[in-house]
Amino acid sequence: MVRVVFGVLGPTVAAVDSGGPLALKGPRHRAVLARLIVARRRVVPVARLVEDLWADPPPGAVGAVQTFVAALRRVLEPERPPRAPARLLVTDGPGYALRTEPDTVDAWRFETALATAAGLPAPGALSTLEEALGWWRGPAYAEFADEDWSRGERARLAELRLQAVERRAEAHLALGRPADAVPDLDAHLTDHPWREDAWRLLALALYRQHRQGDALAVLRRAREVLVDQLGVDPGPRLRHLESDILTQAPALDLRPGGAPQHDPARPHPPRGAGNRATSPHASAATTQPTTAQLWTQAAKAYDRTVAGGARARLESTVGLIRNLAVTGGDGLAEARRHRTAAVTAAEEFADPELTARVIGAYDVPAIWTRADDPAAARHIVAVAERTLTALPTGPHDTARCRLLSTVALETRGATGPRGPEAAREAEALARSLDDPALLAFALNGTFMQSFTRAGLAPRRDATGAELVELAARHGLVTYEVLGHLIRLQARAALADFAAADTHAAAADRLAERHELPLVGVFTEWYGALRLSATGQPARAETACLAAAARLDGAGMPGLERGLLPLALLCLRLAHGLPPDPDPRADWGPHLPWAEPFTLIAEGRHTEARTALRALREPPHDLLYEAYCALEAEAALRLGDRTVLERARTRLRPAAAELAGAGSGLLTLGPVERYLAD
């Protein structure tokens, strides 16, 4: 009987065990075969095959699948008599299964070889691993890299291959061949610089070649890569190895039989701690860890007990990233970067429930309506939308709510309908689930999507009031702060500075008590706004300069860039002073609304009028009314009635407000003045 073998460690192929490759026809035929191999002898329903083969299944898709299966059967079992039951690609219930033996698929053999090598002495392990790694012809399921059905299996096999490369290096070291391990590890780390075990093995291999300096240089490079790219310090195994190399610890050398005196990667007990820890006379004061020690010890325990590729570690990482975000400065910038990486990593597991948890766990309150990293925001929205589509039917309303809230938050300032739709749906779901934290997250999305026109400060004030009450009742401190900041903005827009002062003070008290440094950035800018609104332009200008200095390095480029020159321009216009805009300033995203004033100041009125008429509708964010007022002021100076009428239409719903004060940062004075002009 002809024996057919299959290869998926590279492009999908089939071959006769004792002969050449089999012709699998077109890409859909190979896709059916690969999909059945992924299922590992289990049945794949026809309906599922249709979904996996076509994003938009054509009429007759079921018949097409049946045709592909029939063609595959003819190739795989050419000697099967007509109407005889298939032996390999069988029909079973609602679908098909590939009932091939475990040793006929290269990926399955690879897993078996990896498990076998773990129990063999070094010579046998090395031989087994080298043979198994030779079976790889490229990335697993190479031509189906973009298919959802292959993503999880591809990621799993890729991880196993990385482990095999590192185990092969360990075998070389155990056999006293460090020179054979170095080239492979160098190449391995070029493509996978986050692999701590590979850094450890490379440093050890160099040390055993009597290259102590090179070994230490490798460990320094490992630290730089891990900190710069992942934001994490090296684990205990790398740290202890560095200490051992510096002291030339005998444990690093091979014994005559070819094995080290003990595992050089095993963490050492703290120096001098042994006797004290076991002494019956040790006092509580000497054994009780400090807060810093407690953090370090807990992190070490987690690092030892939770596997590097574990899903639990990924979810825990997002919790840490969430806490990092509220620290401001570098912490906020690092949190954004690592959050994107975590979301990408989660999606690679091809588990929509896991991806939903990872995305939804980052429920960091947001007050500013411009994204700090627009590209990352678009990526997260795209993953969230795919995950919403992929979530199976059933009790997943909490996950859906968090995903929808994320979409609402990350589409801040956009003019399309998706953001408001997501916000409404998330809030409705949260209210039906009776989960305070979930409702607070959803209300943040509602706030972010409440800038579709001017004059909505009262609506935002109501959202802020609900957040303050909800968060205070349930101990949600960061959302309580968010509620106060939202109310600060809304009451400032309505010129109710007594109430705005109360909310600013409440936010500052909570920030001081709970170590939330970013809050002071917003309350200090509010102080500058208040000075301007109460007729103190000189003091307001000084306050703006101080607030801008505090904002520098706060990790919020979406807020920081161009804010100072914009605030100074608005301050001068509000008090009837010459605008005096600096054409050399970095106006950031505010440039289109500042440019007419710079051109007017240079006497280039025709160009100013062209720039003014080219203005698009302002972004739907906290500066909407400020931009409209700037447009009106420039149009008035240029005598452009068309633009004046456009600005009046946009500003009219905010007639009772102070232009721009809803931002909590700046103001151009009463909207009514611009409407009258």
Side-chain angles (χ1 to χ4, degrees), residues 422-562:
R424 286 192 295 272
E425 190 175 346
E427 185 179 340
L429 272 174
R431 293 190 187 282
S432 71
L433 292 167
D434 194 26
D435 181 335
L438 197 61
L439 179 56
F441 190 20
L443 287 173
N444 199 172
T446 298
F447 163 72
M448 282 295 179
Q449 297 298 331
S450 62
F451 300 89
T452 51
R453 62 172 176 82
L456 294 176
R459 182 188 298 178
R460 292 193 288 277
D461 192 37
T463 299
E466 182 175 4
L467 267 173
V468 169
E469 190 275 333
L470 176 75
R473 182 155 35 94
H474 295 282
L476 306 171
V477 175
T478 53
Y479 281 108
E480 187 177 355
V481 171
L482 174 66
H484 283 301
L485 291 179
I486 291 173
R487 296 209 71 191
L488 176 158
Q489 294 170 342
R491 300 319 298 178
L494 298 169
D496 182 359
F497 289 107
D501 289 348
T502 299
H503 292 295
D508 280 335
R509 282 196 302 274
L510 288 167
E512 183 177 1
R513 189 183 314 150
H514 298 282
E515 299 180 350
L516 303 172
L518 291 180
V519 174
V521 171
F522 293 97
T523 55
E524 187 163 349
W525 272 101
Y526 163 71
L529 179 162
R530 196 187 193 291
L531 289 169
S532 176
T534 53
Q536 304 175 69
R539 292 183 62 197
E541 182 171 349
T542 301
C544 283
L545 294 170
R550 179 165 183 169
L551 183 57
D552 184 24
M556 295 184 285
L559 172 64
E560 178 185 357
R561 190 173 176 219

Side-chain angles (χ1 to χ4, degrees), residues 555-580:
M556 295 184 285
L559 172 64
E560 178 185 357
R561 190 173 176 219
L563 178 57
L564 179 59
L566 177 71
L568 295 177
L569 173 62
C570 293
L571 175 65
R572 298 184 71 81
L573 292 174
H575 293 278
L577 302 171
D580 195 25

Side-chain angles (χ1 to χ4, degrees), residues 276 284-298:
R276 185 176 63 194
T286 59
T287 58
Q288 184 68 25
T290 65
T291 303
Q293 289 170 336
L294 186 62
W295 170 269
T296 302
Q297 291 168 12

Side-chain angles (χ1 to χ4, degrees), residues 608-656:
R609 189 172 288 105
T610 300
L612 183 64
R613 292 209 167 188
L615 285 175
R616 63 187 188 280
E617 183 183 7
H620 290 176
D621 64 19
L622 277 159
L623 290 173
Y624 186 92
E625 289 95 338
Y627 284 156
C628 290
L630 287 170
E631 190 174 351
E633 181 68 31
L636 186 66
R637 290 167 185 255
L638 291 168
D640 192 321
R641 184 177 181 85
T642 299
V643 176
L644 278 169
E645 290 178 349
R646 182 176 70 191
R648 182 182 61 184
T649 299
R650 291 173 179 166
L651 277 172
R652 186 175 285 138

Side-chain angles (χ1 to χ4, degrees), residues 113-120 125 129 167:
L114 197 56
T116 300
L120 294 175
L129 290 167
R167 290 186 189 178

Side-chain angles (χ1 to χ4, degrees), residues 26-305:
R28 301 260 190 223
H29 297 76
R30 289 193 297 278
V32 169
L33 180 61
R35 180 64 184 85
L36 294 175
I37 293 173
V38 166
R40 301 181 75 91
R41 296 170 57 88
R42 294 188 296 272
V43 174
V44 180
V46 173
R48 185 61 181 270
L49 282 171
V50 168
E51 291 176 7
D52 289 340
L53 288 175
W54 290 279
D56 184 15
V62 171
V65 169
Q66 293 168 343
T67 300
F68 301 150
V69 168
L72 283 170
R73 283 173 170 163
R74 286 193 295 272
V75 172
L76 299 178
E77 299 182 67
E79 299 174 359
R80 181 169 58 91
R83 290 184 295 279
R87 177 181 59 86
L88 276 178
L89 207 170
V90 302
T91 302
D92 190 341
Y96 303 104
L98 186 69
R99 295 284 163 74
T100 189
E101 295 303 314
D103 64 341
T104 61
V105 178
D106 58 0
W108 304 351
R109 292 202 316 275
F110 180 76
E111 293 178 63
T112 301
L114 197 56
T116 300
L120 294 175
L126 180 59
S127 173
T128 301
L129 290 167
E130 286 188 332
E131 180 184 6
L133 286 166
W135 299 335
W136 285 75
R137 297 167 287 110
Y141 298 93
E143 68 267 61
F144 305 115
D146 297 328
E147 302 296 336
D148 289 341
W149 53 264
S150 73
R151 186 174 289 117
E153 183 69 357
R154 291 179 69 251
R156 191 180 68 84
L157 289 169
E159 171 63 22
L160 291 177
R161 183 181 180 279
L162 298 181
Q163 292 178 17
V165 171
E166 290 161 12
R167 290 186 189 178
R168 179 175 62 183
E170 286 179 335
H172 278 303
L173 290 174
L175 291 169
R177 304 175 188 170
D180 292 336
V182 170
D184 284 347
L185 287 169
D186 259 332
H188 180 62
L189 282 164
T190 298
D191 294 331
H192 311 286
W194 60 87
R195 306 286 296 188
E196 287 199 36
D197 250 8
W199 288 110
R200 176 182 64 84
L201 292 165
L202 178 57
L204 186 58
L206 291 167
Y207 179 81
R208 288 186 180 168
Q209 290 181 271
H210 310 291
R211 297 166 60 185
Q212 183 179 8
D214 289 340
L216 291 170
V218 160
L219 292 173
R220 284 194 295 271
R221 184 153 54 97
R223 181 183 294 107
E224 291 169 1
V225 168
L226 293 169
V227 171
D228 292 346
Q229 296 191 16
L230 297 180
V232 298
D233 290 323
R237 308 179 80 183
L238 280 180
R239 294 198 303 273
H240 288 307
L241 178 61
E242 183 174 30
S243 175
D244 284 347
I245 289 175
L246 285 168
T247 59
Q248 298 186 5
L252 299 183
D253 298 324
L254 283 177
R255 289 184 299 182
Q261 295 179 23
H262 67 75
D263 180 1
R266 185 174 64 198
H268 293 240
R271 287 189 173 89
N275 292 337
R276 185 176 63 194
T278 57
S279 169
H281 304 292
S283 68
T286 59
T287 58
Q288 184 68 25
T290 65
T291 303
Q293 289 170 336
L294 186 62
W295 170 269
T296 302
Q297 291 168 12
K300 285 181 179 178
Y302 192 91
D303 196 51
R304 288 194 305 270
T305 56

